[in-house]
Amino acid sequence: MSNDESERPAMQGSSRRNFLIVSSAAVAATAVGGATATPALAATTGTSPGIGNFSSYPFSLGVASGDPLPDSVILWTRIAPEPLVIGSGMPNRPVPVHWQVADDEGFTRIVVEGETFARTENNHAVHVDVRGLRPDRWYFYRFRCGSELSPVGRTRTLPAPGAPVSSFTVTHISCQNWAVGYFTALKYMAEDNIDLAFHLGDYIYEGAINGAVRGGAYVPDTVRAACRSVDEYRLRYSLYKTDPDLQAAHAAYPWAIVWDDHEVSNDYAGGVDHGPAQLARRAAGYKAWWENTPTRVDPPVGPDERIYRRFAVGNLVQFDMLDSREYRTADNDPLISKLGDEQETWLIDGINAYDTTWNVAAVGQQLGGVNANSPTRNRIYKAYYDRGVAPVILAGDLHWTIVSDALLAIPDASSPIVGEQFIVTSVTSTGDGPGSQATKNGWLKNPWVKYVDGYRGYIRSTFTPTGVHSTQRDVQFVTRPNAPVWDAQNFFIDAKKPGIQLA
């Protein structure tokens, strides 16, 4: 990040808290299936909004930004006055949406603005690729549809390629099951000093919602149904995106998102043809994922969509975002890649795509089992090792935080340390921690595993030219609201020597 404080909005202390309160309260729906909360737009209009021609507030799902570049960022919203019904209460026609980007949250210094259309075929979702922005800057953005203004979001661009960067902070999360618990970890994450968030899969859970859910909220039967059609996936995203803590975290800074399995179906292996019904389900899941995330990737073509991508933060970090599901045919085949041959080749060929201090691979499910041999992981780790690059691997999926050294040939404990791996716990999945002590002890029997944690939460990592400082942040419970948060463990990686240090 730039060292010039004049280049950033003043978002510390009470100013930042007020922004987050406005952003989350403005878009939070009340009890699911009930009335919609009155949006708090005083920060942008000074008056309460009128309903206009909509049956209810059209920005019920909030705003988001994602996949930033040095001169660009993707802005997202979806027009949904009735988010929990098919079609979201919108007419079967395009609707014009105006957007603005400004230097200040009061929008007295507008940088760029324009108009786009929320279209029926995309469930009235909007993706705006804003170009011509200045590198390494924070901005504010909002939308207008008819007489209604959206909440204000905050986003940033990346430093220019090769530019000196002294510090850049990311967070990574995974596995947010709405029915299981409250997204309290995201509330604290929204208040944290983050430059970019990585969501590494299981943004939704596709299975049927049975029985009581958190807070005893009413959920319509159409929303509870297991997701197979595009409308069912859309409704599930709507349910999740009404959550105020998720909305606040999206509005606070940009996200980069990949999927794991539950965006389609549990444990699916995309490279295996399971017949037309499964491919149709995959196509529906991918379409709804694209509609509801602030992603730069192109819309899917049927059951196919390339989401793996690469970007750099100045001279500091190269990030490779990976797809652990779509091309997957086998986990331990010595010849067939778990990532698919094309993606694995892309990853290995691009290890030195940018001249940066750090190289990070972010993936939904880890490349191989924590304590099991994996030919795919062995090939990839050897490629890093042969090139003298020590990767930091960010992953999710397991509902445990497992922080470990990345060895050249797991489970050979005598093999060289290639880099480090941070598997993050879930946001809610599996429910309250701390998890089974026997399971925790089992992981820790492996000498390359340095830390295991069974609470829910997120990991924050600050990259600098000399090291990476990471923190596991835990919430005490998720089955009821307002859980306290604490820093459970700090970690350090020295830029001159691979391996996890407990700090």
Side-chain angles (χ1 to χ4, degrees):
M1 291 176 62
S2 169
N3 290 320
D4 183 357
E5 293 298 325
S6 66
E7 293 290 286
R8 309 182 196 176
M11 291 297 291
Q12 304 300 319
S14 61
S15 177
R16 176 168 171 78
R17 286 192 296 272
N18 289 340
F19 162 74
L20 292 167
I21 291 168
V22 168
S23 294
S24 60
V27 294
T30 56
V32 175
T36 301
T38 300
L41 292 176
T44 56
T45 67
T47 61
S48 297
I51 295 299
N53 294 323
F54 296 103
S55 58
S56 191
Y57 184 56
F59 296 103
S60 63
L61 305 181
V63 299
S65 68
D67 284 356
L69 298 174
D71 66 343
S72 171
V73 69
I74 301 296
L75 306 182
W76 175 94
T77 193
R78 184 153 70 81
I79 311 302
E82 300 175 44
L84 300 186
V85 301
I86 294 174
S88 302
M90 289 296 293
N92 187 21
R93 59 178 174 81
V95 174
V97 178
H98 191 81
W99 55 269
Q100 293 178 318
V101 176
D103 281 327
D104 64 310
E105 62 181 307
F107 286 80
T108 62
R109 301 190 304 278
I110 294 175
V111 174
V112 62
E113 59 186 318
E115 190 168 279
T116 187
F117 284 90
R119 300 184 181 277
T120 303
E121 59 267 29
N122 295 326
N123 203 27
H124 291 96
V126 169
H127 294 76
V128 179
D129 185 356
V130 182
R131 295 280 177 171
L133 301 176
R134 293 175 60 185
D136 199 12
R137 283 185 65 89
W138 286 98
Y139 291 97
F140 297 88
Y141 64 95
R142 66 183 179 186
F143 299 89
R144 187 182 72 244
C145 190
S147 62
E148 301 286 6
L149 279 174
S150 76
V152 175
R154 177 175 174 260
T155 192
R156 64 159 298 150
T157 53
L158 299 181
V165 181
S166 62
S167 177
F168 193 84
T169 300
V170 304
T171 182
H172 72 289
I173 55 174
S174 178
C175 304
Q176 53 190 40
N177 190 331
W178 183 93
V180 168
Y182 291 89
F183 293 168
T184 310
L186 302 186
K187 170 184 179 294
Y188 294 113
M189 202 176 84
E191 298 167 353
D192 216 335
N193 292 315
I194 306 295
D195 291 302
L196 179 65
F198 291 105
H199 197 296
L200 302 183
D202 296 346
Y203 192 103
I204 63 164
Y205 278 69
E206 84 295 352
I209 299 175
N210 298 312
V213 297
R214 58 175 181 172
Y218 168 70
V219 181
D221 289 344
T222 52
V223 181
R224 287 178 174 269
C227 300
R228 290 182 173 83
S229 70
V230 67
D231 282 333
E232 288 166 334
Y233 283 104
R234 286 167 168 170
L235 288 173
R236 191 61 56 88
Y237 276 98
S238 291
L239 175 66
Y240 279 53
K241 294 178 83 69
T242 57
D243 184 275
D245 295 328
L246 177 59
Q247 290 188 14
H250 269 303
Y253 36 72
W255 289 34
I257 303 174
V258 293
W259 54 50
D260 191 27
D261 54 339
H262 286 286
E263 287 85 352
V264 175
S265 60
N266 185 40
D267 285 337
Y268 86 98
V272 179
D273 186 352
H274 292 292
Q278 174 61 15
L279 289 176
R281 190 178 190 186
R282 194 173 93 185
Y286 286 4
K287 179 75 163 85
W289 178 89
W290 181 86
E291 290 172 350
N292 286 281
T293 57
T295 183
R296 186 176 294 278
V297 303
D298 293 331
V301 178
D304 301 310
E305 181 170 22
R306 173 176 163 166
I307 66 166
Y308 59 89
R309 55 206 190 271
R310 172 179 293 126
F311 59 93
V313 177
N315 68 348
L316 187 62
V317 196
Q318 172 179 318
F319 290 105
D320 292 337
M321 308 289 295
L322 303 178
D323 180 348
S324 60
R325 290 293 172 179
E326 183 174 356
Y327 314 105
R328 184 173 178 166
T329 56
D331 286 349
N332 294 298
D333 191 291
L335 299 177
I336 301 174
S337 176
K338 181 176 177 178
L339 295 178
D341 291 343
E342 182 176 328
Q343 183 180 199
E344 182 178 314
T345 299
W346 170 87
L347 175 63
I348 291 173
D349 287 350
I351 284 175
N352 288 314
Y354 295 94
D355 184 12
T356 57
T357 302
W358 299 97
N359 191 301
V360 175
V363 61
Q365 188 185 65
Q366 66 274 17
L367 298 173
V370 173
N371 58 351
N373 179 63
S374 165
T376 293
R377 181 179 58 201
N378 291 347
R379 287 191 303 271
I380 292 171
Y381 280 9
K382 186 175 187 303
Y384 280 114
Y385 189 71
D386 289 346
R387 290 158 176 78
V389 174
V392 179
I393 311 297
L394 308 180
D397 176 66
L398 288 183
H399 309 169
W400 286 85
T401 292
I402 304 176
V403 180
S404 62
D405 294 335
L407 302 185
L408 185 61
I410 292 171
D412 179 2
S414 66
S415 65
I417 298 173
V418 174
E420 306 80 24
Q421 178 167 264
F422 292 87
I423 299 176
V424 70
T425 186
S426 65
V427 174
T428 63
S429 301
T430 312
D432 295 336
S436 163
Q437 187 63 43
T439 300
K440 181 176 180 177
N441 293 342
W443 293 121
L444 290 171
K445 287 179 180 178
N446 303 294
W448 56 91
V449 176
K450 305 302 181 182
Y451 178 79
V452 179
D453 187 329
Y455 283 97
R456 315 279 72 85
Y458 65 96
I459 296 178
R460 179 188 63 227
S461 299
T462 298
F463 291 81
T464 74
T466 58
V468 180
H469 300 265
S470 298
T471 301
Q472 169 64 43
R473 304 206 76 202
D474 286 344
V475 294
Q476 189 170 354
F477 46 80
V478 297
T479 51
R480 56 193 192 277
N482 303 317
V485 66
W486 75 97
D487 292 350
Q489 180 64 53
N490 294 317
F491 311 93
F492 178 69
I493 306 169
D494 192 322
K496 296 180 180 179
K497 182 181 179 181
I500 293 291
Q501 301 177 37
L502 300 184

